[in-house]
């Protein structure tokens, strides 16, 4: 089950670009489990109050086998090292549309990330909401269709958009409305066709 809410919650802020890639990955693999890494340009090993996710690395769209997951993680970390990016968490979508439980694979990946980033978190995707028209909550923030919790403390984060220009948000809304979400390549696709680039953060 998902951790209980905490009054002293922090914030995970997704850039429009990062959110778009998560939507693409989930939309391409409807009714399949989806897993990816969340990246930040921050080099800090801890961030208790707020984290900004600026990049996404899509990993898998099936239940991961150990060696495949390990290889994907190793290559992703090597890429991030070269680009001076920090892996701060992972995102997970269950294969059933109404399932918001935290799968053991997501917990395992989150635990691995927390060895290198103390405030690592898992972002669980709500398939009933993600990719739909953006709607505002009572507090005037958008419902992004996901929940986040810190791996070590199980503290829940609020998930919001990172500060961006009005034009960028308008473009995202128009993209969602168009239903022309485009294609995205994850590590599993890359294994099937090595000519496909999957590390294009």
């Amino acid at each position: 089950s998902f951790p209980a809410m905490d009054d002293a919650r922090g914030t995970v802020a997704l850039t429009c670009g990062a959110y778009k890639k998560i939507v693409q990955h989930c939309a391409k693999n409807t009714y399949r489990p989806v897993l990816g890494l969340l990246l930040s340009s921050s080099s800090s090993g801890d961030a208790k109050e707020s984290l900004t996710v600026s990049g996404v690395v899509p990993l898998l769209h099936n239940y991961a086998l150990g060696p495949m997951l390990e290889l994907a993680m190793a290559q992703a970390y090597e890429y991030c090292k070269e680009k001076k990016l920090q892996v701060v968490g992972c995102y997970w979508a269950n294969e059933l549309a109404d399932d918001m439980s935290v799968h053991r694979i997501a917990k395992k990946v989150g635990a691995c990330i927390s060895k290198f980033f103390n405030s690592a978190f898992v972002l669980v995707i709500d398939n009933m909401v993600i990719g739909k028209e953006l709607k505002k909550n009572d507090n005037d923030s958008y419902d992004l269709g996901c929940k986040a919790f810190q791996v070590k403390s199980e503290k829940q984060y609020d998930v919001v958009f990172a500060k961006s220009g009005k034009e960028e948000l308008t473009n995202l809304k128009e993209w969602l409305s168009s239903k022309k979400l485009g294609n995205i390549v994850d590590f599993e696709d890359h294994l099937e066709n090595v000519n496909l680039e999957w590390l294009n953060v």
Side-chain angles (χ1 to χ4, degrees):
S1 62
F2 209 82
M5 289 189 177
D6 186 335
D7 289 338
R9 288 185 290 177
T11 300
V12 169
L14 302 176
T15 63
C16 289
Y19 181 74
K20 185 175 180 179
K21 286 198 170 187
I22 294 172
V23 171
Q24 285 180 309
H25 199 196
C26 293
K28 180 181 177 180
N29 301 287
T30 308
Y31 306 120
R32 288 183 176 181
V34 170
L35 173 68
L37 299 179
L38 301 167
L39 315 179
S40 175
S41 56
S42 171
S43 59
S44 170
D46 191 16
K48 295 180 180 179
E49 300 304 323
S50 179
L51 284 162
T52 298
V53 174
S54 55
V56 168
V57 173
L59 295 182
L60 305 166
H61 54 266
N62 279 298
Y63 291 109
L65 298 174
M68 182 189 292
L69 180 56
E70 289 174 14
L71 180 59
M73 294 278 286
Q75 290 191 20
Y77 266 90
E78 187 62 31
Y79 172 85
C80 290
K81 183 178 179 181
E82 292 176 4
K83 300 295 183 179
K84 294 183 170 54
L85 296 169
Q86 174 81 55
V87 179
V88 295
C90 67
Y91 63 90
W92 173 269
N94 289 295
E95 59 184 329
L96 299 178
D98 59 352
D99 186 0
M100 283 290 290
S101 64
V102 187
H103 195 275
R104 60 181 176 79
I105 293 175
K107 290 179 180 179
K108 180 179 179 180
V109 173
C112 289
I113 297 169
S114 70
K115 294 177 182 178
F116 306 99
F117 185 77
N118 196 49
S119 296
F121 66 95
V122 174
L123 191 75
V124 181
I125 306 301
D126 184 346
N127 289 313
M128 304 289 281
V129 178
I130 192 80
K132 303 290 195 307
E133 180 184 354
L134 290 173
K135 295 181 179 179
K136 286 194 173 183
N137 296 313
D138 293 337
N139 62 0
D140 206 37
S141 63
Y142 288 100
D143 181 358
L144 304 192
C146 43
K147 293 183 178 180
F149 75 95
Q150 193 180 102
V151 175
K152 290 186 175 180
S153 69
E154 293 197 345
K155 170 184 177 180
Q156 190 168 331
Y157 286 109
D158 289 317
V159 184
V160 301
F161 277 127
K163 290 182 179 179
S164 58
K166 188 175 180 180
E167 183 179 357
E168 186 178 7
L169 193 55
T170 299
N171 289 341
L172 177 63
K173 289 179 180 179
E174 291 176 352
W175 176 75
L176 289 169
S177 299
S178 73
K179 304 298 181 183
K180 297 177 181 178
L181 304 182
N183 192 23
I184 192 168
V185 176
D186 62 17
F187 179 73
E188 207 170 335
D189 295 321
H190 172 73
L191 288 183
E192 293 176 5
N193 182 352
V194 294
N195 292 318
L196 296 176
E197 177 57 56
W198 70 288
L199 282 171
N200 185 16
V201 174

